[in-house]
Amino acid sequence: MLFFERDIAIDLGTTNTLVYVRGKGVAMREPTVVAVDKTTGKLLKVGEDAQKVLGRTPANIVAIHPIVSGVISDYDMTTRMLQELLSRVTSFSFFKPRVVVCVPSSITGVEERAVIDATIEAGARKVYLLEKSVATSTGAGIDISKPDGHLVVDIGGGTTEVAVVSMGGVVECESIKTAGDEFDDAVVRYIRRKHNVLIGMRTAEELKMGIGCAYIKPDIETREVKGRDLLTGLPKAVTVNSNDMLEALSEPIEKILETVHIVLERTPPELVADISVNGIVMSGGGSLLWGLDRMVTSRTGIEAVVVDDTLACAAYGAGKLLRELGSMQDGMINLARRKQMK
């Protein structure tokens, strides 16, 4: 590898995008948001700067989330966002970098092509796609090269992916659009239904992170939340407790548990036996919901463990695999569609 060349791993998520630079670690964590002037089409802000202006801008400036449910929904904005992020970490490099991008296991061929083209257009020399569950397993310290089954539950912002990983590849997987954002929606609907008060998504997220739970808490916690009374149109404050949050979040949590069951039912018996010993690895911001690991354990009978750095686990895993770009096996990385880039 040439001295000035850099290998980069990108965890392109619905809510956050992380950039890992070989030899440096995670160099950037930015919200997956861009602010654009509708009139001129000019890209104004990216990431944290764009998120800060949400809801506080003139009508001609809009915030766009270019990644929805783990895949590209706005190709042009994704390209421009990646171009900005890559330029920040390769500003002193004379060579275009090789880039590994984490993608959902359920990604289609068309969606794969969109990610590859967008990353090439943003300034990459070669692009490799890595299944996020494989990256998460590696980031969690699992030796994925062994014929040993591991179950990964990754709860991101837009999608929850449940996958069984063995011998460097994904054996079974299921992806659903029930994740962190759906948790927030469920809280908004619950407050509206029970108190006739409308709250914003950011308030719902703060409630979820503060007193949200998937399991009954030993001590009931309460929070005062402010919103708009739907009858009078005036501001109104209501008190919400952790038991309310348990009820509010029960539906999306149940969907995630059902998905775990579906994947386990489809998994070969030998690998299920491995998983019962190895346990379930949980990652992603949604896995931080209080008691969710206990709920998964109680419903499956298999111990669930939340990784140390849930938000960056996949990025660290992809970063570790940068050392093996020349020797990655099929299933861990799909090279079939990228021969023209060699």
PDB file of all heavy atoms in Angstrom, residues 184-200 203-204 207 211 223-230 236-241 244-245 248:
ATOM      1  N   ASP A 184     -39.803   6.066  18.644  1.00  0.00           N
ATOM      2  CA  ASP A 184     -40.202   7.471  18.849  1.00  0.00           C
ATOM      3  C   ASP A 184     -41.635   7.704  18.379  1.00  0.00           C
ATOM      4  O   ASP A 184     -42.424   8.379  19.059  1.00  0.00           O
ATOM      5  CB  ASP A 184     -39.252   8.407  18.093  1.00  0.00           C
ATOM      6  CG  ASP A 184     -37.810   8.296  18.584  1.00  0.00           C
ATOM      7  OD1 ASP A 184     -37.610   7.819  19.719  1.00  0.00           O
ATOM      8  OD2 ASP A 184     -36.899   8.687  17.837  1.00  0.00           O
ATOM      9  N   ASP A 185     -41.973   7.144  17.214  1.00  0.00           N
ATOM     10  CA  ASP A 185     -43.343   7.280  16.688  1.00  0.00           C
ATOM     11  C   ASP A 185     -44.360   6.684  17.666  1.00  0.00           C
ATOM     12  O   ASP A 185     -45.445   7.253  17.872  1.00  0.00           O
ATOM     13  CB  ASP A 185     -43.473   6.564  15.337  1.00  0.00           C
ATOM     14  CG  ASP A 185     -42.837   7.343  14.203  1.00  0.00           C
ATOM     15  OD1 ASP A 185     -42.729   8.580  14.334  1.00  0.00           O
ATOM     16  OD2 ASP A 185     -42.437   6.723  13.207  1.00  0.00           O
ATOM     17  N   ALA A 186     -44.008   5.541  18.251  1.00  0.00           N
ATOM     18  CA  ALA A 186     -44.915   4.874  19.196  1.00  0.00           C
ATOM     19  C   ALA A 186     -45.157   5.738  20.428  1.00  0.00           C
ATOM     20  O   ALA A 186     -46.283   5.789  20.946  1.00  0.00           O
ATOM     21  CB  ALA A 186     -44.333   3.522  19.605  1.00  0.00           C
ATOM     22  N   VAL A 187     -44.115   6.425  20.892  1.00  0.00           N
ATOM     23  CA  VAL A 187     -44.258   7.319  22.058  1.00  0.00           C
ATOM     24  C   VAL A 187     -45.169   8.502  21.713  1.00  0.00           C
ATOM     25  O   VAL A 187     -46.051   8.872  22.499  1.00  0.00           O
ATOM     26  CB  VAL A 187     -42.876   7.818  22.539  1.00  0.00           C
ATOM     27  CG1 VAL A 187     -43.035   8.889  23.621  1.00  0.00           C
ATOM     28  CG2 VAL A 187     -42.044   6.657  23.067  1.00  0.00           C
ATOM     29  N   VAL A 188     -44.972   9.082  20.525  1.00  0.00           N
ATOM     30  CA  VAL A 188     -45.814  10.212  20.086  1.00  0.00           C
ATOM     31  C   VAL A 188     -47.280   9.785  20.026  1.00  0.00           C
ATOM     32  O   VAL A 188     -48.173  10.488  20.513  1.00  0.00           O
ATOM     33  CB  VAL A 188     -45.348  10.737  18.706  1.00  0.00           C
ATOM     34  CG1 VAL A 188     -46.361  11.755  18.149  1.00  0.00           C
ATOM     35  CG2 VAL A 188     -43.975  11.377  18.812  1.00  0.00           C
ATOM     36  N   ARG A 189     -47.541   8.610  19.437  1.00  0.00           N
ATOM     37  CA  ARG A 189     -48.918   8.120  19.308  1.00  0.00           C
ATOM     38  C   ARG A 189     -49.543   7.861  20.683  1.00  0.00           C
ATOM     39  O   ARG A 189     -50.724   8.165  20.905  1.00  0.00           O
ATOM     40  CB  ARG A 189     -48.955   6.838  18.465  1.00  0.00           C
ATOM     41  CG  ARG A 189     -48.608   7.026  17.008  1.00  0.00           C
ATOM     42  CD  ARG A 189     -49.019   5.806  16.179  1.00  0.00           C
ATOM     43  NE  ARG A 189     -48.358   4.593  16.644  1.00  0.00           N
ATOM     44  CZ  ARG A 189     -47.200   4.141  16.166  1.00  0.00           C
ATOM     45  NH1 ARG A 189     -46.554   4.818  15.229  1.00  0.00           N
ATOM     46  NH2 ARG A 189     -46.685   3.007  16.626  1.00  0.00           N
ATOM     47  N   TYR A 190     -48.756   7.312  21.595  1.00  0.00           N
ATOM     48  CA  TYR A 190     -49.269   6.981  22.925  1.00  0.00           C
ATOM     49  C   TYR A 190     -49.660   8.249  23.694  1.00  0.00           C
ATOM     50  O   TYR A 190     -50.755   8.311  24.284  1.00  0.00           O
ATOM     51  CB  TYR A 190     -48.213   6.205  23.715  1.00  0.00           C
ATOM     52  CG  TYR A 190     -48.660   5.819  25.108  1.00  0.00           C
ATOM     53  CD1 TYR A 190     -49.432   4.682  25.322  1.00  0.00           C
ATOM     54  CD2 TYR A 190     -48.320   6.607  26.213  1.00  0.00           C
ATOM     55  CE1 TYR A 190     -49.853   4.330  26.595  1.00  0.00           C
ATOM     56  CE2 TYR A 190     -48.738   6.264  27.491  1.00  0.00           C
ATOM     57  CZ  TYR A 190     -49.500   5.129  27.678  1.00  0.00           C
ATOM     58  OH  TYR A 190     -49.913   4.799  28.948  1.00  0.00           O
ATOM     59  N   ILE A 191     -48.780   9.263  23.680  1.00  0.00           N
ATOM     60  CA  ILE A 191     -49.063  10.527  24.389  1.00  0.00           C
ATOM     61  C   ILE A 191     -50.292  11.200  23.780  1.00  0.00           C
ATOM     62  O   ILE A 191     -51.136  11.757  24.493  1.00  0.00           O
ATOM     63  CB  ILE A 191     -47.844  11.480  24.326  1.00  0.00           C
ATOM     64  CG1 ILE A 191     -46.604  10.836  24.964  1.00  0.00           C
ATOM     65  CG2 ILE A 191     -48.171  12.803  25.009  1.00  0.00           C
ATOM     66  CD1 ILE A 191     -46.711  10.564  26.438  1.00  0.00           C
ATOM     67  N   ARG A 192     -50.409  11.105  22.481  1.00  0.00           N
ATOM     68  CA  ARG A 192     -51.564  11.707  21.800  1.00  0.00           C
ATOM     69  C   ARG A 192     -52.849  10.971  22.177  1.00  0.00           C
ATOM     70  O   ARG A 192     -53.881  11.614  22.442  1.00  0.00           O
ATOM     71  CB  ARG A 192     -51.341  11.653  20.290  1.00  0.00           C
ATOM     72  CG  ARG A 192     -52.463  12.270  19.494  1.00  0.00           C
ATOM     73  CD  ARG A 192     -52.090  12.348  18.020  1.00  0.00           C
ATOM     74  NE  ARG A 192     -53.090  13.072  17.252  1.00  0.00           N
ATOM     75  CZ  ARG A 192     -52.866  13.629  16.077  1.00  0.00           C
ATOM     76  NH1 ARG A 192     -51.670  13.556  15.525  1.00  0.00           N
ATOM     77  NH2 ARG A 192     -53.835  14.263  15.435  1.00  0.00           N
ATOM     78  N   ARG A 193     -52.774   9.658  22.205  1.00  0.00           N
ATOM     79  CA  ARG A 193     -53.968   8.857  22.500  1.00  0.00           C
ATOM     80  C   ARG A 193     -54.401   8.996  23.964  1.00  0.00           C
ATOM     81  O   ARG A 193     -55.589   9.138  24.259  1.00  0.00           O
ATOM     82  CB  ARG A 193     -53.669   7.397  22.172  1.00  0.00           C
ATOM     83  CG  ARG A 193     -54.869   6.464  22.319  1.00  0.00           C
ATOM     84  CD  ARG A 193     -54.541   5.069  21.822  1.00  0.00           C
ATOM     85  NE  ARG A 193     -53.557   4.396  22.667  1.00  0.00           N
ATOM     86  CZ  ARG A 193     -52.329   4.094  22.290  1.00  0.00           C
ATOM     87  NH1 ARG A 193     -51.910   4.418  21.070  1.00  0.00           N
ATOM     88  NH2 ARG A 193     -51.506   3.475  23.110  1.00  0.00           N
ATOM     89  N   LYS A 194     -53.442   8.980  24.865  1.00  0.00           N
ATOM     90  CA  LYS A 194     -53.764   8.971  26.290  1.00  0.00           C
ATOM     91  C   LYS A 194     -54.037  10.362  26.868  1.00  0.00           C
ATOM     92  O   LYS A 194     -54.927  10.534  27.709  1.00  0.00           O
ATOM     93  CB  LYS A 194     -52.636   8.316  27.084  1.00  0.00           C
ATOM     94  CG  LYS A 194     -52.953   8.163  28.565  1.00  0.00           C
ATOM     95  CD  LYS A 194     -51.931   7.321  29.289  1.00  0.00           C
ATOM     96  CE  LYS A 194     -52.316   7.162  30.763  1.00  0.00           C
ATOM     97  NZ  LYS A 194     -51.335   6.331  31.512  1.00  0.00           N
ATOM     98  N   HIS A 195     -53.266  11.358  26.397  1.00  0.00           N
ATOM     99  CA  HIS A 195     -53.372  12.696  26.990  1.00  0.00           C
ATOM    100  C   HIS A 195     -53.916  13.752  26.036  1.00  0.00           C
ATOM    101  O   HIS A 195     -54.085  14.904  26.422  1.00  0.00           O
ATOM    102  CB  HIS A 195     -51.993  13.156  27.509  1.00  0.00           C
ATOM    103  CG  HIS A 195     -51.424  12.273  28.572  1.00  0.00           C
ATOM    104  ND1 HIS A 195     -51.859  12.308  29.884  1.00  0.00           N
ATOM    105  CD2 HIS A 195     -50.441  11.338  28.513  1.00  0.00           C
ATOM    106  CE1 HIS A 195     -51.159  11.418  30.597  1.00  0.00           C
ATOM    107  NE2 HIS A 195     -50.302  10.818  29.786  1.00  0.00           N
ATOM    108  N   ASN A 196     -54.168  13.366  24.776  1.00  0.00           N
ATOM    109  CA  ASN A 196     -54.637  14.321  23.773  1.00  0.00           C
ATOM    110  C   ASN A 196     -53.651  15.477  23.599  1.00  0.00           C
ATOM    111  O   ASN A 196     -54.042  16.626  23.387  1.00  0.00           O
ATOM    112  CB  ASN A 196     -56.027  14.868  24.137  1.00  0.00           C
ATOM    113  CG  ASN A 196     -56.945  14.879  22.923  1.00  0.00           C
ATOM    114  OD1 ASN A 196     -56.693  14.193  21.938  1.00  0.00           O
ATOM    115  ND2 ASN A 196     -57.991  15.672  22.992  1.00  0.00           N
ATOM    116  N   VAL A 197     -52.370  15.156  23.718  1.00  0.00           N
ATOM    117  CA  VAL A 197     -51.306  16.147  23.597  1.00  0.00           C
ATOM    118  C   VAL A 197     -50.343  15.688  22.504  1.00  0.00           C
ATOM    119  O   VAL A 197     -49.972  14.515  22.440  1.00  0.00           O
ATOM    120  CB  VAL A 197     -50.540  16.318  24.933  1.00  0.00           C
ATOM    121  CG1 VAL A 197     -49.276  17.148  24.746  1.00  0.00           C
ATOM    122  CG2 VAL A 197     -51.437  16.958  25.977  1.00  0.00           C
ATOM    123  N   LEU A 198     -49.970  16.626  21.639  1.00  0.00           N
ATOM    124  CA  LEU A 198     -49.037  16.317  20.563  1.00  0.00           C
ATOM    125  C   LEU A 198     -47.642  16.773  20.956  1.00  0.00           C
ATOM    126  O   LEU A 198     -47.437  17.939  21.299  1.00  0.00           O
ATOM    127  CB  LEU A 198     -49.464  17.012  19.264  1.00  0.00           C
ATOM    128  CG  LEU A 198     -48.580  16.746  18.035  1.00  0.00           C
ATOM    129  CD1 LEU A 198     -48.638  15.278  17.639  1.00  0.00           C
ATOM    130  CD2 LEU A 198     -49.005  17.641  16.866  1.00  0.00           C
ATOM    131  N   ILE A 199     -46.673  15.850  20.917  1.00  0.00           N
ATOM    132  CA  ILE A 199     -45.286  16.200  21.215  1.00  0.00           C
ATOM    133  C   ILE A 199     -44.434  15.971  19.971  1.00  0.00           C
ATOM    134  O   ILE A 199     -44.829  15.262  19.043  1.00  0.00           O
ATOM    135  CB  ILE A 199     -44.714  15.361  22.390  1.00  0.00           C
ATOM    136  CG1 ILE A 199     -44.701  13.869  22.044  1.00  0.00           C
ATOM    137  CG2 ILE A 199     -45.499  15.620  23.670  1.00  0.00           C
ATOM    138  CD1 ILE A 199     -43.964  13.006  23.052  1.00  0.00           C
ATOM    139  N   GLY A 200     -43.266  16.590  19.929  1.00  0.00           N
ATOM    140  CA  GLY A 200     -42.368  16.458  18.789  1.00  0.00           C
ATOM    141  C   GLY A 200     -41.521  15.195  18.881  1.00  0.00           C
ATOM    142  O   GLY A 200     -41.426  14.568  19.938  1.00  0.00           O
ATOM    143  N   THR A 203     -38.692  15.392  21.431  1.00  0.00           N
ATOM    144  CA  THR A 203     -39.182  15.200  22.804  1.00  0.00           C
ATOM    145  C   THR A 203     -39.434  13.725  23.072  1.00  0.00           C
ATOM    146  O   THR A 203     -39.112  13.207  24.148  1.00  0.00           O
ATOM    147  CB  THR A 203     -40.493  15.995  23.018  1.00  0.00           C
ATOM    148  OG1 THR A 203     -40.253  17.371  22.719  1.00  0.00           O
ATOM    149  CG2 THR A 203     -40.984  15.877  24.450  1.00  0.00           C
ATOM    150  N   ALA A 204     -40.010  13.035  22.073  1.00  0.00           N
ATOM    151  CA  ALA A 204     -40.272  11.603  22.222  1.00  0.00           C
ATOM    152  C   ALA A 204     -38.974  10.830  22.393  1.00  0.00           C
ATOM    153  O   ALA A 204     -38.886   9.899  23.212  1.00  0.00           O
ATOM    154  CB  ALA A 204     -41.028  11.088  20.991  1.00  0.00           C
ATOM    155  N   LEU A 207     -37.708  11.285  25.905  1.00  0.00           N
ATOM    156  CA  LEU A 207     -38.489  10.455  26.826  1.00  0.00           C
ATOM    157  C   LEU A 207     -38.021   9.003  26.760  1.00  0.00           C
ATOM    158  O   LEU A 207     -37.842   8.344  27.781  1.00  0.00           O
ATOM    159  CB  LEU A 207     -39.977  10.525  26.460  1.00  0.00           C
ATOM    160  CG  LEU A 207     -40.877  11.514  27.194  1.00  0.00           C
ATOM    161  CD1 LEU A 207     -42.292  11.412  26.649  1.00  0.00           C
ATOM    162  CD2 LEU A 207     -40.865  11.276  28.688  1.00  0.00           C
ATOM    163  N   ILE A 211     -36.630   7.614  30.311  1.00  0.00           N
ATOM    164  CA  ILE A 211     -37.392   6.679  31.151  1.00  0.00           C
ATOM    165  C   ILE A 211     -37.982   5.518  30.356  1.00  0.00           C
ATOM    166  O   ILE A 211     -38.744   4.720  30.890  1.00  0.00           O
ATOM    167  CB  ILE A 211     -38.526   7.411  31.917  1.00  0.00           C
ATOM    168  CG1 ILE A 211     -39.545   8.030  30.933  1.00  0.00           C
ATOM    169  CG2 ILE A 211     -37.966   8.458  32.859  1.00  0.00           C
ATOM    170  CD1 ILE A 211     -40.793   8.561  31.625  1.00  0.00           C
ATOM    171  N   ARG A 223     -41.490  11.716  34.303  1.00  0.00           N
ATOM    172  CA  ARG A 223     -40.987  12.907  33.613  1.00  0.00           C
ATOM    173  C   ARG A 223     -42.168  13.792  33.232  1.00  0.00           C
ATOM    174  O   ARG A 223     -43.233  13.292  32.869  1.00  0.00           O
ATOM    175  CB  ARG A 223     -40.240  12.530  32.328  1.00  0.00           C
ATOM    176  CG  ARG A 223     -38.861  11.934  32.528  1.00  0.00           C
ATOM    177  CD  ARG A 223     -37.822  13.001  32.835  1.00  0.00           C
ATOM    178  NE  ARG A 223     -36.562  12.390  33.209  1.00  0.00           N
ATOM    179  CZ  ARG A 223     -35.585  12.108  32.347  1.00  0.00           C
ATOM    180  NH1 ARG A 223     -35.755  12.379  31.076  1.00  0.00           N
ATOM    181  NH2 ARG A 223     -34.468  11.576  32.770  1.00  0.00           N
ATOM    182  N   GLU A 224     -41.940  15.095  33.294  1.00  0.00           N
ATOM    183  CA  GLU A 224     -42.947  16.028  32.791  1.00  0.00           C
ATOM    184  C   GLU A 224     -42.611  16.341  31.338  1.00  0.00           C
ATOM    185  O   GLU A 224     -41.455  16.622  31.011  1.00  0.00           O
ATOM    186  CB  GLU A 224     -42.947  17.321  33.609  1.00  0.00           C
ATOM    187  CG  GLU A 224     -44.071  18.274  33.197  1.00  0.00           C
ATOM    188  CD  GLU A 224     -44.083  19.569  34.000  1.00  0.00           C
ATOM    189  OE1 GLU A 224     -43.202  20.415  33.726  1.00  0.00           O
ATOM    190  OE2 GLU A 224     -44.945  19.722  34.870  1.00  0.00           O
ATOM    191  N   VAL A 225     -43.608  16.243  30.496  1.00  0.00           N
ATOM    192  CA  VAL A 225     -43.381  16.489  29.073  1.00  0.00           C
ATOM    193  C   VAL A 225     -44.349  17.563  28.589  1.00  0.00           C
ATOM    194  O   VAL A 225     -45.510  17.596  28.990  1.00  0.00           O
ATOM    195  CB  VAL A 225     -43.544  15.185  28.262  1.00  0.00           C
ATOM    196  CG1 VAL A 225     -44.932  14.586  28.450  1.00  0.00           C
ATOM    197  CG2 VAL A 225     -43.278  15.417  26.794  1.00  0.00           C
ATOM    198  N   LYS A 226     -43.844  18.460  27.759  1.00  0.00           N
ATOM    199  CA  LYS A 226     -44.648  19.576  27.264  1.00  0.00           C
ATOM    200  C   LYS A 226     -44.951  19.393  25.778  1.00  0.00           C
ATOM    201  O   LYS A 226     -44.094  18.959  25.011  1.00  0.00           O
ATOM    202  CB  LYS A 226     -43.918  20.897  27.484  1.00  0.00           C
ATOM    203  CG  LYS A 226     -43.722  21.231  28.958  1.00  0.00           C
ATOM    204  CD  LYS A 226     -42.942  22.506  29.142  1.00  0.00           C
ATOM    205  CE  LYS A 226     -42.730  22.809  30.633  1.00  0.00           C
ATOM    206  NZ  LYS A 226     -41.918  24.024  30.833  1.00  0.00           N
ATOM    207  N   GLY A 227     -46.184  19.723  25.426  1.00  0.00           N
ATOM    208  CA  GLY A 227     -46.601  19.612  24.035  1.00  0.00           C
ATOM    209  C   GLY A 227     -47.767  20.543  23.764  1.00  0.00           C
ATOM    210  O   GLY A 227     -48.033  21.467  24.543  1.00  0.00           O
ATOM    211  N   ARG A 228     -48.493  20.288  22.675  1.00  0.00           N
ATOM    212  CA  ARG A 228     -49.631  21.131  22.323  1.00  0.00           C
ATOM    213  C   ARG A 228     -50.923  20.376  22.561  1.00  0.00           C
ATOM    214  O   ARG A 228     -51.102  19.255  22.066  1.00  0.00           O
ATOM    215  CB  ARG A 228     -49.537  21.549  20.855  1.00  0.00           C
ATOM    216  CG  ARG A 228     -50.629  22.540  20.451  1.00  0.00           C
ATOM    217  CD  ARG A 228     -50.452  23.086  19.068  1.00  0.00           C
ATOM    218  NE  ARG A 228     -50.804  22.105  18.043  1.00  0.00           N
ATOM    219  CZ  ARG A 228     -49.975  21.642  17.130  1.00  0.00           C
ATOM    220  NH1 ARG A 228     -48.732  22.052  17.108  1.00  0.00           N
ATOM    221  NH2 ARG A 228     -50.370  20.767  16.228  1.00  0.00           N
ATOM    222  N   ASP A 229     -51.823  20.978  23.335  1.00  0.00           N
ATOM    223  CA  ASP A 229     -53.132  20.401  23.597  1.00  0.00           C
ATOM    224  C   ASP A 229     -53.929  20.398  22.292  1.00  0.00           C
ATOM    225  O   ASP A 229     -54.131  21.446  21.668  1.00  0.00           O
ATOM    226  CB  ASP A 229     -53.867  21.222  24.666  1.00  0.00           C
ATOM    227  CG  ASP A 229     -55.121  20.518  25.166  1.00  0.00           C
ATOM    228  OD1 ASP A 229     -55.873  19.971  24.338  1.00  0.00           O
ATOM    229  OD2 ASP A 229     -55.352  20.526  26.383  1.00  0.00           O
ATOM    230  N   LEU A 230     -54.382  19.232  21.860  1.00  0.00           N
ATOM    231  CA  LEU A 230     -55.079  19.116  20.576  1.00  0.00           C
ATOM    232  C   LEU A 230     -56.490  19.690  20.616  1.00  0.00           C
ATOM    233  O   LEU A 230     -57.093  19.923  19.570  1.00  0.00           O
ATOM    234  CB  LEU A 230     -55.127  17.651  20.142  1.00  0.00           C
ATOM    235  CG  LEU A 230     -53.758  17.055  19.762  1.00  0.00           C
ATOM    236  CD1 LEU A 230     -53.877  15.558  19.536  1.00  0.00           C
ATOM    237  CD2 LEU A 230     -53.198  17.729  18.525  1.00  0.00           C
ATOM    238  N   LYS A 236     -49.340  22.565  26.820  1.00  0.00           N
ATOM    239  CA  LYS A 236     -49.822  21.801  27.975  1.00  0.00           C
ATOM    240  C   LYS A 236     -48.726  20.848  28.438  1.00  0.00           C
ATOM    241  O   LYS A 236     -48.008  20.271  27.622  1.00  0.00           O
ATOM    242  CB  LYS A 236     -51.073  21.003  27.600  1.00  0.00           C
ATOM    243  CG  LYS A 236     -51.685  20.212  28.758  1.00  0.00           C
ATOM    244  CD  LYS A 236     -52.932  19.469  28.316  1.00  0.00           C
ATOM    245  CE  LYS A 236     -53.529  18.647  29.452  1.00  0.00           C
ATOM    246  NZ  LYS A 236     -54.741  17.903  29.028  1.00  0.00           N
ATOM    247  N   ALA A 237     -48.595  20.700  29.759  1.00  0.00           N
ATOM    248  CA  ALA A 237     -47.605  19.787  30.334  1.00  0.00           C
ATOM    249  C   ALA A 237     -48.323  18.589  30.951  1.00  0.00           C
ATOM    250  O   ALA A 237     -49.341  18.750  31.634  1.00  0.00           O
ATOM    251  CB  ALA A 237     -46.773  20.504  31.381  1.00  0.00           C
ATOM    252  N   VAL A 238     -47.816  17.396  30.696  1.00  0.00           N
ATOM    253  CA  VAL A 238     -48.376  16.175  31.285  1.00  0.00           C
ATOM    254  C   VAL A 238     -47.246  15.362  31.909  1.00  0.00           C
ATOM    255  O   VAL A 238     -46.080  15.512  31.540  1.00  0.00           O
ATOM    256  CB  VAL A 238     -49.126  15.315  30.235  1.00  0.00           C
ATOM    257  CG1 VAL A 238     -50.345  16.047  29.705  1.00  0.00           C
ATOM    258  CG2 VAL A 238     -48.199  14.912  29.087  1.00  0.00           C
ATOM    259  N   THR A 239     -47.605  14.518  32.868  1.00  0.00           N
ATOM    260  CA  THR A 239     -46.612  13.671  33.527  1.00  0.00           C
ATOM    261  C   THR A 239     -46.686  12.254  32.975  1.00  0.00           C
ATOM    262  O   THR A 239     -47.761  11.666  32.878  1.00  0.00           O
ATOM    263  CB  THR A 239     -46.848  13.656  35.057  1.00  0.00           C
ATOM    264  OG1 THR A 239     -46.774  14.999  35.550  1.00  0.00           O
ATOM    265  CG2 THR A 239     -45.794  12.812  35.750  1.00  0.00           C
ATOM    266  N   VAL A 240     -45.535  11.719  32.597  1.00  0.00           N
ATOM    267  CA  VAL A 240     -45.440  10.374  32.033  1.00  0.00           C
ATOM    268  C   VAL A 240     -44.484   9.561  32.895  1.00  0.00           C
ATOM    269  O   VAL A 240     -43.458  10.069  33.338  1.00  0.00           O
ATOM    270  CB  VAL A 240     -44.905  10.428  30.578  1.00  0.00           C
ATOM    271  CG1 VAL A 240     -44.828   9.030  29.979  1.00  0.00           C
ATOM    272  CG2 VAL A 240     -45.780  11.328  29.723  1.00  0.00           C
ATOM    273  N   ASN A 241     -44.843   8.296  33.165  1.00  0.00           N
ATOM    274  CA  ASN A 241     -43.938   7.454  33.949  1.00  0.00           C
ATOM    275  C   ASN A 241     -43.406   6.283  33.127  1.00  0.00           C
ATOM    276  O   ASN A 241     -43.826   6.060  31.987  1.00  0.00           O
ATOM    277  CB  ASN A 241     -44.607   6.966  35.244  1.00  0.00           C
ATOM    278  CG  ASN A 241     -45.816   6.086  34.994  1.00  0.00           C
ATOM    279  OD1 ASN A 241     -45.805   5.214  34.125  1.00  0.00           O
ATOM    280  ND2 ASN A 241     -46.892   6.310  35.750  1.00  0.00           N
ATOM    281  N   ASP A 244     -45.864   3.832  31.667  1.00  0.00           N
ATOM    282  CA  ASP A 244     -46.499   4.344  30.444  1.00  0.00           C
ATOM    283  C   ASP A 244     -45.616   4.049  29.233  1.00  0.00           C
ATOM    284  O   ASP A 244     -46.100   3.653  28.167  1.00  0.00           O
ATOM    285  CB  ASP A 244     -46.723   5.859  30.550  1.00  0.00           C
ATOM    286  CG  ASP A 244     -47.778   6.235  31.566  1.00  0.00           C
ATOM    287  OD1 ASP A 244     -48.716   5.434  31.767  1.00  0.00           O
ATOM    288  OD2 ASP A 244     -47.675   7.322  32.162  1.00  0.00           O
ATOM    289  N   MET A 245     -44.316   4.266  29.403  1.00  0.00           N
ATOM    290  CA  MET A 245     -43.378   4.043  28.302  1.00  0.00           C
ATOM    291  C   MET A 245     -43.310   2.562  27.927  1.00  0.00           C
ATOM    292  O   MET A 245     -43.192   2.216  26.751  1.00  0.00           O
ATOM    293  CB  MET A 245     -41.991   4.559  28.707  1.00  0.00           C
ATOM    294  CG  MET A 245     -41.923   6.072  28.889  1.00  0.00           C
ATOM    295  SD  MET A 245     -42.301   6.970  27.375  1.00  0.00           S
ATOM    296  CE  MET A 245     -40.859   6.591  26.408  1.00  0.00           C
ATOM    297  N   ALA A 248     -46.283   2.015  25.859  1.00  0.00           N
ATOM    298  CA  ALA A 248     -46.157   2.694  24.570  1.00  0.00           C
ATOM    299  C   ALA A 248     -45.241   1.937  23.614  1.00  0.00           C
ATOM    300  O   ALA A 248     -45.486   1.870  22.396  1.00  0.00           O
ATOM    301  CB  ALA A 248     -45.623   4.112  24.779  1.00  0.00           C
TER     302      ALA A 248
END
